Amino acid sequence: MYQKPVIIGVAGGSGSGKTSVTKTINNTFKHHSIVVIEQDYYYKDQSDLPFEERLETNYDHPLAFDNDLLISHIEKLLNYEAIEKPVYDYANHTRSTKTIHVEPKDVIIIEGILVLEDERLRNLMDIKLFVDTDADIRIIRRMQRDIKDRGRSMESVISQYMNVVRPMHNQFIEPTKRYADVIIPEGGQNHVAIDLVATKIKTILEQKSFL
Ligand code: C5P
């Protein structure tokens, strides 16, 4: 048991490899308990809007997220209280009616495209990471994932990327790189960077341990 959980922010563009970095860190800490909080699950609830309107939403803008709810959940986990994490439905572009019960853990990873954009979130983090991957790799990964897992067509992925994802990345996501303590090129394949981060997490855990 530690005085306060360690909080790690993992930011980076869509398709940059954030999830793979998070998974690799998670695997390094089998003996410690880690909880992953995905910012995507905290997209604003749009169930009161018609489907056509939900399609028009800019999901790459900071205002698309319910960061107030996300922050209140992080604060609960920091106090070692459990939360009901929302679940996001990408096919219907809104929050699902289900929630996931999440028990507090010693390490909290907050992962998402804009987790370094909100100063309140940054102030909660002990370590801030930015996964930096070239745009051509990111669009290829996104195309594969959105068609396979998120019910999209190739045409819709291309048009969303050119009209929204790319300009929002340049305007809002890329500039948050300057807030990162560590910039990780090549995502989850960068084992040296992930080992360095894992060592730092262990040091913080040792410092915070009061037993
Ligand atoms: O997992 P990843 O970081 O790629 O998730 C963020 C992306 O999800 C954003 O770039 C946004 O365009 C996309 N998204 C979407 N439709 C939604 C919600 C998010 O395409 N309804």
Side-chain angles (χ1 to χ4, degrees):
M1 176 64 81
Y2 301 90
Q3 269 174 317
K4 185 174 104 38
V6 180
I7 304 198
I8 301 139
V10 182
S14 175
S16 59
K18 300 181 292 296
T19 309
S20 126
V21 167
T22 300
K23 276 190 187 143
T24 315
I25 296 175
N26 213 343
N27 293 340
T28 319
F29 280 86
K30 287 195 187 79
H31 57 294
H32 279 295
S33 50
I34 295 196
V35 59
V36 179
I37 302 294
E38 301 84 350
Q39 188 187 31
D40 278 15
Y41 288 23
Y42 290 80
Y43 272 116
K44 283 179 182 156
D45 183 18
Q46 300 202 106
S47 46
D48 54 335
L49 294 182
F51 184 76
E52 294 308 316
E53 243 176 86
R54 286 183 243 150
L55 278 181
E56 298 301 314
T57 304
N58 178 345
Y59 293 103
D60 293 80
H61 193 283
L63 290 176
F65 294 94
D66 187 352
N67 278 352
D68 290 346
L69 181 66
L70 172 60
I71 289 163
S72 75
H73 280 185
I74 302 295
E75 283 170 346
K76 277 191 170 176
L77 291 168
L78 271 172
N79 289 324
Y80 283 103
E81 291 168 43
I83 60 161
E84 290 301 318
K85 183 167 79 168
V87 174
Y88 193 69
D89 177 349
Y90 292 95
N92 288 306
H93 303 278
T94 192
R95 206 174 278 173
S96 131
T97 49
K98 292 183 212 140
T99 58
I100 302 172
H101 182 78
V102 176
E103 287 291 333
K105 303 277 171 71
D106 291 323
V107 181
I108 301 166
I109 300 182
I110 316 172
E111 182 213 307
I113 51 172
L114 286 163
V115 295
L116 294 185
E117 192 273 335
D118 189 317
E119 190 182 4
R120 297 168 303 162
L121 277 172
R122 289 199 303 272
N123 289 340
L124 289 169
M125 295 168 186
D126 297 283
I127 304 174
K128 298 184 274 297
L129 309 178
F130 188 97
V131 184
D132 194 16
T133 302
D134 291 344
D136 53 351
I137 305 292
R138 287 191 278 106
I139 176 65
I140 289 170
R141 288 198 188 136
R142 180 163 172 134
M143 179 87 71
Q144 288 171 326
R145 180 204 59 196
D146 281 9
I147 292 171
K148 186 167 162 279
D149 303 328
R150 296 189 182 175
R152 310 289 165 85
S153 65
M154 192 173 84
E155 291 70 26
S156 84
V157 176
I158 292 172
S159 121
Q160 188 187 6
Y161 184 81
M162 294 308 287
N163 295 320
V164 183
V165 180
R166 186 172 182 273
M168 294 297 105
H169 179 93
N170 293 337
Q171 189 176 346
F172 294 111
I173 301 173
E174 186 73 19
T176 67
K177 207 191 260 184
R178 69 194 164 108
Y179 299 120
D181 300 307
V182 183
I183 295 168
I184 305 185
E186 305 303 331
Q189 301 312 310
N190 192 331
H191 295 288
V192 173
I194 291 169
D195 278 354
L196 289 171
V197 172
T199 304
K200 179 66 183 165
I201 297 170
K202 282 175 194 155
T203 309
I204 298 176
L205 282 172
E206 276 160 22
Q207 285 165 352
K208 286 188 174 178
S209 171
F210 60 88
L211 285 183

